[in-house]
Amino acid sequence: MAWLPATGNSHSAVQHSGTHLRLWPGVAIVVLQWVLAFGVPLVAGGAEIRSLPIGFIAVIAGALGGVAIIVWWLFFSRAPWFERLGALLLTIAALFATRSVVHESIAGAGMGMLLYISSIPYLSLAFVAWALASRNFSEGARRAALVGALVIACAPWAFLRTSGVRGGAGSEFHWRWTATPEERLLARAADESLESLQEPKASPSQVAQAEILKTPAVRGDEAPLAASRDTAADSPGEPLTHPEAPTSAKAGTSARSSMVAPEWPGFRGPERNSIIRGVRIETDWSASPPVEVWRRPVGPGWSSFAVRGDLLYTQEQRGEEETVTCYKVSTGKPVWRHRDPVRFWESNAGPGPRATPTLHQDRLYTFGATGILNALEASSGHLVWSRNVASDTSRKVPDWGFASSPLVVDDVVIVAASGTLAAYDRTSGDRRWIGRRQLGSYSSPHRATIDGVLQVLLLTGSGAVAYAPANGAVLWEHEWQTGGTTIVQPALTAEGDVLINGTAMTGGVGIRRIAVAQRSGGWHVEERWTSTGLKPYFNDFVVHKGYAFGFDGSILACIDLADGTRKWKGGRYGNGQLVLLRDQDLLLVVSEDGELALVGATPDGFRELTRFTALEGKTWNHPAVVRDLLLVRNGQEMVAFRLPVEGADRALP
């Protein structure tokens, strides 16, 4: 018998025991497992079943197939019991041993479960193939064959790394020794001949206000320390322009631009709703395609843009430093860079900041993934003040990092730290108030006026809550716990109702419309309807002419805001983002694969007008549109396109 000392002539363990293995159930299970885990996704692509992505269903099918293999082997294989238990224990030991040698991106991915779940189909195949091929082997050869099969199944994982997950639950694998886009960017910068530039000097008061501390890289739930310093270095031929260069023209331009309202002040545009007015473009891109103005590599991060005049601002990771960078809109060349010596990284979404800078008057407010809130001079990048929001709110860095984009309301700047709002004096950085502790959230604070009362809304895992911006008093709240963590923004209907969403571990679960009104006894909140016709996860939706348009999983959908019924669903864009060209009833979609598409924003059916490849690589960042200029980026590059304008020339100077 296998796993016991042999006696006499050594035959196969099965022959020696006088039994025969029952192999056909194992073969059938592994064939079905591979068809569901790999064959169906290969054929069906981005399809969904009951709003669950095929990729997610494939992962579940692979795991369930592994469970079925265990049940077969333990109870129906007819193998000797020592062999059943010994082979299973050796397989489990091989999997745990593999985890000790895989790349950190794989070891930590999927909350530490990626290796265990993804390897199940391969281990299942190797196990069944071993049982089938070695059924007539001698005891020693059978043991050796099992070890060889497990090595074949497990060893390839040691040669891989992952750059994160995609929205449909699939992972992006690369050879372990290949450089990441960030490493290529840093290597390029290291080889460059940099122009020696004087660093911006902060005034004594600015130094006193700033917290300048050395901070190690932050991962998981480690609390960060605020740190900041200014730098001046970039690529050859594109040196950072010294912010205080002795040219009156530059000084005059900076002064004038700081007095002009920004065209795109930050996250999702002027009203944080991804709605663009006053722009009409040609929709036949085969005849008049977008024209690339410039393209340049950037560090990783899921930040979008803030734009004023010829300056744009975004956030990125560069090695062990989290940066805020100002670039020229017209050329893409860098102007200044502010650096904080912290690094956030997690396996699913990769390194870098998640939030988008906010422009207000002459200041730029930024919130990093580890909790550093900075106020910078928009023209120069000088640090005005800095706060550690994680410490102020006693919130740990969440799994995906802090993702809130700062919101300026009157004299306060407000950010959300994993479900807790924190408000600071926008001039001095003094803490004004800390909001109620809610369940987790990656959403940003949202300004709204309801019944004539200015308020700040926040979606969290607890539901929706509204605060008075002046003092943080809770005005009203609506509970909707769906088991997940909110990521997207609320929206307002034309009638003044609020649209909120709920999420679960598998993605979005739906949209709810609530009516909010102020009465003599206080605020009153009433649910009007809840719809599963549109289930946003981390991709924001827009409201237009009584309808909501957004991503239902990875497919676009439209619902009627009167009752939440779905009008249409179509088009596969992965987990991308979109903006609405309001004057043209048109959605400009950026797909997860970096494609641009124009889709009609009307309820009569899905209608894609054109599609255009813009970026290379996974793209989760929100686009920005300033007149006829489209700015898009992802974790490795950013591009400016001149959109073909319909009618009069609206080009940027």
Side-chain angles (χ1 to χ4, degrees), residues 354-375:
R354 278 71 170 122
T356 298
T358 297
L359 271 170
H360 183 80
Q361 296 182 2
D362 60 348
R363 298 279 173 85
L364 183 75
Y365 300 94
T366 64
F367 190 40
T370 66
I372 298 174
L373 175 64
N374 288 326

Side-chain angles (χ1 to χ4, degrees), residues 599-613:
V599 177
T602 57
D604 53 351
F606 170 76
R607 182 171 53 97
E608 181 182 279
L609 305 179
T610 188
R611 194 181 283 226
F612 179 89
T613 300

Side-chain angles (χ1 to χ4, degrees), residues 153-505:
C154 294
W157 292 101
F159 301 100
L160 299 174
R161 64 171 176 83
T162 175
S163 57
V165 299
R166 299 183 70 85
S171 294
E172 298 180 307
F173 292 107
H174 310 273
W175 293 117
R176 184 171 185 160
W177 53 83
T178 58
T180 66
E182 182 187 12
E183 289 170 339
R184 293 195 296 269
L185 175 64
L186 294 175
R188 171 186 170 187
D191 291 339
E192 292 167 352
S193 174
L194 303 179
E195 181 177 345
S196 177
L197 297 174
Q198 180 183 352
E199 295 190 7
K201 299 183 184 298
S203 67
S205 61
Q206 291 168 340
V207 172
Q209 290 167 349
E211 297 176 287
I212 307 178
L213 300 173
K214 296 292 184 183
T215 308
V218 175
R219 301 186 186 187
D221 60 1
E222 299 176 19
L225 298 173
S228 59
R229 55 189 175 89
D230 292 319
T231 68
D234 208 330
S235 55
E238 299 177 345
L240 293 178
T241 303
H242 187 277
E244 296 177 350
T247 60
S248 58
K250 286 183 180 178
T253 301
S254 298
R256 287 194 301 273
S257 62
S258 65
M259 299 298 291
V260 176
E263 296 94 329
W264 196 268
F267 185 53
R268 302 186 69 210
E271 298 177 35
R272 289 201 170 194
N273 58 8
S274 295
I275 296 178
I276 299 163
R277 295 173 171 83
V279 175
R280 298 183 65 89
I281 64 174
E282 297 287 349
T283 58
D284 182 2
W285 285 0
S286 61
S288 302
V291 176
E292 182 177 312
V293 180
W294 51 259
R295 181 184 299 263
R296 68 170 293 117
V298 292
W302 303 116
S303 177
S304 182
F305 304 96
V307 182
R308 175 163 50 202
D310 196 29
L311 299 180
L312 69 85
Y313 308 85
T314 193
Q315 294 171 251
E316 30 182 320
Q317 190 74 41
R318 301 247 177 164
E320 297 305 311
E321 296 174 318
E322 186 178 72
T323 72
V324 181
T325 311
C326 173
Y327 295 93
K328 286 281 190 179
V329 173
S330 55
T331 63
K333 292 184 178 181
V335 178
W336 56 256
R337 178 169 291 123
H338 170 86
R339 306 187 185 192
D340 291 300
V342 294
R343 179 178 179 86
F344 177 83
W345 175 87
E346 55 84 28
S347 296
N348 297 305
R354 278 71 170 122
T356 298
T358 297
L359 271 170
H360 183 80
Q361 296 182 2
D362 60 348
R363 298 279 173 85
L364 183 75
Y365 300 94
T366 64
F367 190 40
T370 66
I372 298 174
L373 175 64
N374 288 326
L376 307 172
E377 290 184 0
S379 60
S380 67
H382 286 158
L383 178 67
V384 180
W385 55 259
S386 182
R387 297 293 306 219
N388 187 324
V389 181
S391 298
D392 288 344
T393 58
S394 300
R395 298 301 297 247
K396 294 181 178 180
V397 180
D399 292 338
W400 294 62
F402 290 115
S404 167
S405 298
L407 173 69
V408 177
V409 181
D410 296 332
D411 61 345
V412 294
V413 55
I414 305 170
V415 292
S418 190
T420 300
L421 285 188
Y424 300 89
D425 185 287
R426 65 178 177 84
T427 302
S428 66
D430 293 338
R431 189 172 66 185
R432 296 282 288 272
W433 53 264
I434 301 296
R436 180 182 299 177
R437 191 181 184 94
Q438 303 280 316
L439 293 179
S441 171
Y442 296 101
S443 300
S444 296
H446 197 85
R447 176 177 180 147
T449 300
I450 301 176
D451 259 6
V453 177
L454 179 64
Q455 47 201 276
V456 176
L457 312 183
L458 181 67
L459 301 187
T460 73
S462 306
V465 61
Y467 295 89
N471 56 17
V474 174
L475 301 178
W476 58 266
E477 55 187 325
H478 176 79
E479 183 174 340
W480 190 21
Q481 295 189 25
T482 55
T485 303
T486 55
I487 305 174
V488 304
Q489 296 300 106
L492 298 181
T493 69
E495 298 79 15
D497 288 352
V498 181
L499 300 174
I500 64 177
N501 86 306
T503 65
M505 291 297 293

Side-chain angles (χ1 to χ4, degrees), residues 48 51 167 268 443 459 480 482 484-491 499-512 529-543 548-559 561 566 569 574-578 622:
E48 296 180 352
S51 297
R268 302 186 69 210
S443 300
L459 301 187
W480 190 21
T482 55
T485 303
T486 55
I487 305 174
V488 304
Q489 296 300 106
L499 300 174
I500 64 177
N501 86 306
T503 65
M505 291 297 293
T506 55
V509 300
I511 281 185
R512 176 173 291 178
W529 50 254
T530 299
S531 171
T532 58
L534 179 60
K535 299 180 288 297
Y537 184 27
F538 60 89
N539 321 95
D540 282 288
F541 60 96
V542 295
V543 172
F549 302 86
F551 288 87
D552 186 68
S554 61
I555 304 175
L556 280 184
C558 168
I559 62 171
L561 294 182
R566 181 186 290 161
K569 183 175 180 177
N575 288 80
Q577 301 290 357
L578 56 79
H622 285 268

